Amino acid sequence: MECHLGSDILERAHPEVRCPHPSFYRPERMLDGLAALAHGLRVLVEALLPELRTAGGCVINIVDIHAERPMPGHAVYNISKAGLAMLTRTLAAELGPAVRVNGVAPGAILWPESGSDDAARQDILDRTALGRVGEASDIASAVAYLSLDAPYVTGQILAVDGGRSLNM
């Protein structure tokens, strides 16, 4: 897990929780993964809440486009990201007006080091409106926008996916 805190911005990237196939589901793995994501965020926000309130800060969660459109074979990951999206919206309702809470949902930004071949990658790009993979700077720009340039935005999940979610 990575956590970045400025004087008034909390951005948290979550570890991946994936099960390659339904036959690999183990209840303890699912519960551990979901607890790490949801409970970990809640504890972190609660610990930093006084500083966030004082600064009029914001929380930006890195969600995933698969929070709304499931990726086959990755149920635990999909469920955890869907839960994170709901927790983002819930915290926005609970912490406003002092603290804004939003999320960024990346699409194809960085390819996995293993597990996808050229044909699979091309299939994803063929279904992406912009026809290309995104850059890490696209995510950073979205986080900066929500953090610094969107004072009237809270409870939103911004898809940064080059239009991929249009064709899922």
Side-chain angles (χ1 to χ4, degrees), residues 64-65 68-69 103-107 109 138-139 142 146 156-166:
D64 193 298
I65 59 172
E68 292 188 27
R69 294 164 184 88
V104 173
I109 302 296
D138 296 321
I139 302 305
L146 289 170
Q156 302 303 307
I157 309 295
L158 177 60
V160 181
D161 66 355
R164 180 171 177 220
S165 56
L166 296 171

Side-chain angles (χ1 to χ4, degrees), residues 12 34-44 87:
R12 184 164 179 246
L34 296 176
L37 292 170
H39 182 69
L41 173 62
R42 187 70 184 199
V43 168
L44 185 59
L87 185 56

Side-chain angles (χ1 to χ4, degrees), residues 19 31 57 66 108 155:
C19 267
L31 293 175
H66 295 291

Side-chain angles (χ1 to χ4, degrees), residues 45-132:
V45 169
E46 285 179 11
L48 297 170
L49 196 52
E51 290 84 1
L52 289 166
R53 281 190 172 137
T54 299
C58 65
V59 175
I60 308 296
N61 288 309
I62 304 301
V63 187
D64 193 298
I65 59 172
H66 295 291
E68 292 188 27
R69 294 164 184 88
M71 180 172 34
H74 296 82
V76 175
Y77 181 80
N78 297 335
I79 292 166
S80 67
K81 291 300 186 171
L84 178 59
M86 183 54 69
L87 185 56
T88 297
R89 292 178 183 107
T90 301
L91 287 174
E94 291 178 358
L95 301 180
V99 177
R100 295 178 301 111
V101 184
N102 291 293
V104 173
I109 302 296
L110 297 173
W111 297 115
E113 293 181 19
S114 64
S116 67
D117 58 31
D118 290 339
R121 292 177 182 186
Q122 189 59 50
D123 181 56
I124 290 170
L125 294 178
D126 289 345
R127 291 181 287 130
T128 300
L130 296 182
R132 64 175 177 83

Side-chain angles (χ1 to χ4, degrees), residues 30 75 92 106 137-138 144:
M30 181 177 268
S137 62
D138 296 321

